[in-house]
PDB file of all heavy atoms in Angstrom:
ATOM      1  N   THR A 224     -68.363  38.275  65.230  1.00  0.00           N
ATOM      2  CA  THR A 224     -68.461  38.862  66.565  1.00  0.00           C
ATOM      3  C   THR A 224     -69.915  39.049  66.972  1.00  0.00           C
ATOM      4  O   THR A 224     -70.322  38.672  68.081  1.00  0.00           O
ATOM      5  CB  THR A 224     -67.732  40.210  66.606  1.00  0.00           C
ATOM      6  OG1 THR A 224     -66.363  40.028  66.236  1.00  0.00           O
ATOM      7  CG2 THR A 224     -67.791  40.819  67.997  1.00  0.00           C
ATOM      8  N   ALA A 225     -70.706  39.633  66.080  1.00  0.00           N
ATOM      9  CA  ALA A 225     -72.107  39.893  66.396  1.00  0.00           C
ATOM     10  C   ALA A 225     -72.880  38.595  66.610  1.00  0.00           C
ATOM     11  O   ALA A 225     -73.722  38.499  67.521  1.00  0.00           O
ATOM     12  CB  ALA A 225     -72.747  40.708  65.270  1.00  0.00           C
ATOM     13  N   THR A 226     -72.590  37.586  65.801  1.00  0.00           N
ATOM     14  CA  THR A 226     -73.297  36.313  65.916  1.00  0.00           C
ATOM     15  C   THR A 226     -72.951  35.607  67.222  1.00  0.00           C
ATOM     16  O   THR A 226     -73.828  35.104  67.931  1.00  0.00           O
ATOM     17  CB  THR A 226     -72.963  35.407  64.719  1.00  0.00           C
ATOM     18  OG1 THR A 226     -73.256  36.098  63.503  1.00  0.00           O
ATOM     19  CG2 THR A 226     -73.775  34.127  64.762  1.00  0.00           C
ATOM     20  N   LEU A 227     -71.665  35.557  67.544  1.00  0.00           N
ATOM     21  CA  LEU A 227     -71.250  34.927  68.794  1.00  0.00           C
ATOM     22  C   LEU A 227     -71.810  35.670  70.002  1.00  0.00           C
ATOM     23  O   LEU A 227     -72.257  35.053  70.977  1.00  0.00           O
ATOM     24  CB  LEU A 227     -69.725  34.886  68.869  1.00  0.00           C
ATOM     25  CG  LEU A 227     -69.054  33.813  68.012  1.00  0.00           C
ATOM     26  CD1 LEU A 227     -67.561  34.089  67.893  1.00  0.00           C
ATOM     27  CD2 LEU A 227     -69.282  32.437  68.620  1.00  0.00           C
ATOM     28  N   ALA A 228     -71.793  36.993  69.939  1.00  0.00           N
ATOM     29  CA  ALA A 228     -72.317  37.779  71.055  1.00  0.00           C
ATOM     30  C   ALA A 228     -73.793  37.488  71.278  1.00  0.00           C
ATOM     31  O   ALA A 228     -74.244  37.304  72.417  1.00  0.00           O
ATOM     32  CB  ALA A 228     -72.098  39.264  70.790  1.00  0.00           C
ATOM     33  N   ARG A 229     -74.548  37.444  70.201  1.00  0.00           N
ATOM     34  CA  ARG A 229     -75.982  37.171  70.331  1.00  0.00           C
ATOM     35  C   ARG A 229     -76.217  35.785  70.913  1.00  0.00           C
ATOM     36  O   ARG A 229     -77.088  35.594  71.771  1.00  0.00           O
ATOM     37  CB  ARG A 229     -76.660  37.315  68.973  1.00  0.00           C
ATOM     38  CG  ARG A 229     -78.154  37.025  69.014  1.00  0.00           C
ATOM     39  CD  ARG A 229     -78.878  37.615  67.821  1.00  0.00           C
ATOM     40  NE  ARG A 229     -78.918  39.083  67.895  1.00  0.00           N
ATOM     41  CZ  ARG A 229     -79.517  39.849  66.989  1.00  0.00           C
ATOM     42  NH1 ARG A 229     -80.107  39.292  65.925  1.00  0.00           N
ATOM     43  NH2 ARG A 229     -79.531  41.154  67.115  1.00  0.00           N
ATOM     44  N   ARG A 230     -75.446  34.810  70.474  1.00  0.00           N
ATOM     45  CA  ARG A 230     -75.649  33.444  70.962  1.00  0.00           C
ATOM     46  C   ARG A 230     -75.216  33.292  72.418  1.00  0.00           C
ATOM     47  O   ARG A 230     -75.732  32.435  73.127  1.00  0.00           O
ATOM     48  CB  ARG A 230     -74.890  32.464  70.079  1.00  0.00           C
ATOM     49  CG  ARG A 230     -75.469  32.365  68.680  1.00  0.00           C
ATOM     50  CD  ARG A 230     -74.857  31.240  67.884  1.00  0.00           C
ATOM     51  NE  ARG A 230     -75.489  31.138  66.565  1.00  0.00           N
ATOM     52  CZ  ARG A 230     -75.331  30.107  65.748  1.00  0.00           C
ATOM     53  NH1 ARG A 230     -74.553  29.094  66.101  1.00  0.00           N
ATOM     54  NH2 ARG A 230     -75.935  30.080  64.579  1.00  0.00           N
ATOM     55  N   CYS A 231     -74.249  34.089  72.841  1.00  0.00           N
ATOM     56  CA  CYS A 231     -73.760  34.013  74.217  1.00  0.00           C
ATOM     57  C   CYS A 231     -74.527  34.933  75.159  1.00  0.00           C
ATOM     58  O   CYS A 231     -74.267  34.938  76.367  1.00  0.00           O
ATOM     59  CB  CYS A 231     -72.281  34.380  74.269  1.00  0.00           C
ATOM     60  SG  CYS A 231     -71.181  33.254  73.395  1.00  0.00           S
ATOM     61  N   GLY A 232     -75.430  35.736  74.616  1.00  0.00           N
ATOM     62  CA  GLY A 232     -76.120  36.710  75.437  1.00  0.00           C
ATOM     63  C   GLY A 232     -75.217  37.840  75.877  1.00  0.00           C
ATOM     64  O   GLY A 232     -75.431  38.456  76.928  1.00  0.00           O
ATOM     65  N   ALA A 233     -74.182  38.120  75.071  1.00  0.00           N
ATOM     66  CA  ALA A 233     -73.207  39.152  75.415  1.00  0.00           C
ATOM     67  C   ALA A 233     -73.539  40.465  74.722  1.00  0.00           C
ATOM     68  O   ALA A 233     -74.302  40.504  73.751  1.00  0.00           O
ATOM     69  CB  ALA A 233     -71.804  38.699  75.009  1.00  0.00           C
ATOM     70  N   GLU A 478     -77.293  38.285  60.071  1.00  0.00           N
ATOM     71  CA  GLU A 478     -77.760  37.164  60.884  1.00  0.00           C
ATOM     72  C   GLU A 478     -77.697  35.857  60.107  1.00  0.00           C
ATOM     73  O   GLU A 478     -77.246  34.827  60.629  1.00  0.00           O
ATOM     74  CB  GLU A 478     -79.191  37.398  61.370  1.00  0.00           C
ATOM     75  CG  GLU A 478     -79.330  38.563  62.339  1.00  0.00           C
ATOM     76  CD  GLU A 478     -79.813  39.833  61.651  1.00  0.00           C
ATOM     77  OE1 GLU A 478     -79.440  40.029  60.475  1.00  0.00           O
ATOM     78  OE2 GLU A 478     -80.537  40.610  62.293  1.00  0.00           O
ATOM     79  N   GLY A 481     -74.033  34.921  59.515  1.00  0.00           N
ATOM     80  CA  GLY A 481     -73.431  34.443  60.754  1.00  0.00           C
ATOM     81  C   GLY A 481     -73.848  33.022  61.081  1.00  0.00           C
ATOM     82  O   GLY A 481     -73.027  32.206  61.517  1.00  0.00           O
ATOM     83  N   ALA A 482     -75.124  32.706  60.876  1.00  0.00           N
ATOM     84  CA  ALA A 482     -75.604  31.346  61.139  1.00  0.00           C
ATOM     85  C   ALA A 482     -74.937  30.344  60.206  1.00  0.00           C
ATOM     86  O   ALA A 482     -74.552  29.238  60.622  1.00  0.00           O
ATOM     87  CB  ALA A 482     -77.124  31.291  60.989  1.00  0.00           C
ATOM     88  N   LEU A 483     -74.772  30.721  58.947  1.00  0.00           N
ATOM     89  CA  LEU A 483     -74.097  29.831  57.995  1.00  0.00           C
ATOM     90  C   LEU A 483     -72.643  29.603  58.405  1.00  0.00           C
ATOM     91  O   LEU A 483     -72.132  28.478  58.353  1.00  0.00           O
ATOM     92  CB  LEU A 483     -74.163  30.425  56.591  1.00  0.00           C
ATOM     93  CG  LEU A 483     -75.527  30.410  55.904  1.00  0.00           C
ATOM     94  CD1 LEU A 483     -75.492  31.256  54.628  1.00  0.00           C
ATOM     95  CD2 LEU A 483     -75.945  28.980  55.572  1.00  0.00           C
ATOM     96  N   LEU A 484     -71.981  30.661  58.821  1.00  0.00           N
ATOM     97  CA  LEU A 484     -70.579  30.542  59.194  1.00  0.00           C
ATOM     98  C   LEU A 484     -70.386  29.615  60.387  1.00  0.00           C
ATOM     99  O   LEU A 484     -69.488  28.766  60.398  1.00  0.00           O
ATOM    100  CB  LEU A 484     -70.017  31.924  59.530  1.00  0.00           C
ATOM    101  CG  LEU A 484     -69.926  32.937  58.391  1.00  0.00           C
ATOM    102  CD1 LEU A 484     -69.483  34.289  58.928  1.00  0.00           C
ATOM    103  CD2 LEU A 484     -68.970  32.466  57.310  1.00  0.00           C
ATOM    104  N   LEU A 485     -71.232  29.755  61.393  1.00  0.00           N
ATOM    105  CA  LEU A 485     -71.046  28.991  62.624  1.00  0.00           C
ATOM    106  C   LEU A 485     -71.608  27.576  62.552  1.00  0.00           C
ATOM    107  O   LEU A 485     -71.080  26.669  63.185  1.00  0.00           O
ATOM    108  CB  LEU A 485     -71.688  29.731  63.800  1.00  0.00           C
ATOM    109  CG  LEU A 485     -71.008  31.028  64.234  1.00  0.00           C
ATOM    110  CD1 LEU A 485     -71.729  31.615  65.439  1.00  0.00           C
ATOM    111  CD2 LEU A 485     -69.549  30.802  64.563  1.00  0.00           C
ATOM    112  N   ASP A 486     -72.670  27.378  61.785  1.00  0.00           N
ATOM    113  CA  ASP A 486     -73.375  26.094  61.816  1.00  0.00           C
ATOM    114  C   ASP A 486     -73.019  25.152  60.676  1.00  0.00           C
ATOM    115  O   ASP A 486     -73.162  23.939  60.804  1.00  0.00           O
ATOM    116  CB  ASP A 486     -74.890  26.329  61.807  1.00  0.00           C
ATOM    117  CG  ASP A 486     -75.357  27.069  63.051  1.00  0.00           C
ATOM    118  OD1 ASP A 486     -74.668  26.987  64.082  1.00  0.00           O
ATOM    119  OD2 ASP A 486     -76.401  27.739  62.976  1.00  0.00           O
TER     120      ASP A 486
END
Side-chain angles (χ1 to χ4, degrees):
T224 302
T226 305
L227 283 166
R229 179 160 290 181
R230 292 189 177 193
C231 296
E478 294 99 326
L483 288 170
L484 294 174
L485 291 182
D486 296 335

